Amino acid sequence: MSDRIDVLDEDSTPSDDLDEYGFDGDDPDSPDGSRLPAPARRALATLLTNRFITRSRNRSAWEALLAYENEIRERLADMYLLLIVDKDYEVAFKRQDPAEDAPKVLRRDKPLHRDASLLLIHLRKEHAYTDATDDPVVITTAQVAEFLRPFREDGDGDEAKFERRVDAAIRAVAELKLLTSDPDADYLFTVSPAIVPLIGADEMMRMERHFLQAARAAGGTDESENNETGEDLA
């Protein structure tokens, strides 16, 4: 999935025309006839155009979401979407309505390749014994390589090729906004705490099965094997 631009620019200079959430004032004569206040509409738009929002990255949208949570939840329900809000980790995202007769409105993400899927499992496991009050989990390129090394194919002694695989796995997870590189150290990455609510218990169990299969097949698994991680998180 391509990168998306946040609807809100938290670094912009405040204006007298902005409300308490940093949005333009509501226009009662708006031709679209929306009954949602402007902050709620902007928060809804941010939810629809981003995989997830967090308080740290989307402060105005997050605050508006909390203020108008019921209204936004109803609007998403009209589109066969469920609103998930984790106030401990300060993350909100949408899920496809699981009802059998609900039309699929979220685009399925392109499946992650094997190495990225395994890395995603590893990062989620790193958060298994943490909570929202703990310091951010940090990982290095060397640690990612150490984790992926046992999954190299038999006879694959090309170190340069392996390093490219490591970089590709990191890049794929970073594109999901779940890894952020340190601007002062390109080998250092912070794991987004959003990974915890985004990958729930059921998803974790499914990913664990994939992890075990890859472990058993280490040395014989095709590198192009895909995993469906990221489904319905558009």
Side-chain angles (χ1 to χ4, degrees):
M1 174 176 292
S2 59
D3 291 340
R4 295 190 174 106
I5 299 175
D6 288 349
V7 173
L8 309 176
D9 181 1
E10 298 174 12
D11 296 326
S12 59
T13 301
S15 167
D16 292 338
D17 295 329
L18 300 183
D19 63 19
E20 62 180 306
Y21 297 103
F23 296 115
D24 291 333
D26 204 2
D27 180 5
D29 299 322
S30 177
D32 58 21
S34 175
R35 295 183 179 180
L36 279 181
R41 296 172 67 191
R42 292 296 184 93
L44 177 60
T46 307
L47 273 169
L48 291 172
T49 54
N50 288 272
R51 183 184 304 278
F52 59 90
I53 67 171
T54 65
R55 181 178 181 273
S56 60
R57 292 175 60 92
N58 316 93
R59 178 69 62 87
S60 297
W62 173 258
E63 293 179 354
L65 171 62
L66 295 186
Y68 300 101
E69 181 176 342
N70 290 335
E71 292 87 345
I72 292 172
R73 189 180 299 278
E74 290 176 358
R75 290 299 180 93
L76 288 174
D78 289 340
M79 294 180 278
Y80 299 96
L81 298 175
L82 306 179
L83 173 63
I84 312 296
V85 181
D86 190 311
K87 295 179 181 178
D88 290 332
Y89 285 94
E90 299 179 329
V91 176
F93 54 96
K94 57 198 179 297
R95 290 283 195 192
Q96 176 68 54
D97 187 331
E100 292 184 2
D101 59 345
K104 303 298 182 184
V105 295
L106 289 184
R107 184 179 62 183
R108 184 187 295 270
D109 283 347
K110 180 181 178 181
L112 295 175
H113 57 76
R114 189 195 65 167
D115 291 339
S117 297
L118 293 173
L119 176 57
L120 197 59
I121 298 169
H122 177 62
L123 297 179
R124 177 60 180 85
K125 287 170 69 69
E126 288 292 295
H127 271 282
Y129 303 104
T130 65
D131 59 37
T133 63
D134 291 333
D135 292 334
V137 173
V138 177
I139 195 167
T140 66
T141 302
Q143 289 172 323
V144 174
E146 180 181 0
F147 166 71
L148 290 176
R149 194 171 298 278
F151 299 99
R152 295 179 71 165
E153 301 171 1
D154 283 341
D156 181 8
D158 188 335
E159 191 64 23
K161 178 182 177 181
F162 176 67
E163 290 177 359
R164 289 194 296 270
R165 286 175 51 186
V166 170
D167 290 340
I170 292 174
R171 187 166 56 251
V173 177
E175 288 175 354
L176 297 178
K177 309 298 185 186
L178 295 175
L179 272 182
T180 302
S181 62
D182 189 313
D184 299 321
D186 59 4
Y187 61 88
L188 199 62
F189 300 86
T190 299
V191 184
S192 171
I195 198 171
V196 177
L198 282 170
I199 302 179
D202 291 343
E203 178 75 357
M204 190 63 188
M205 289 177 63
R206 185 178 67 79
M207 295 171 67
E208 283 281 6
R209 289 195 295 271
H210 180 76
F211 181 94
L212 293 173
Q213 291 170 1
R216 296 191 194 101
T221 303
D222 184 352
E223 182 180 352
S224 64
E225 179 183 350
N226 288 331
N227 179 36
E228 294 181 357
T229 300
E231 178 180 354
D232 294 342
L233 284 176

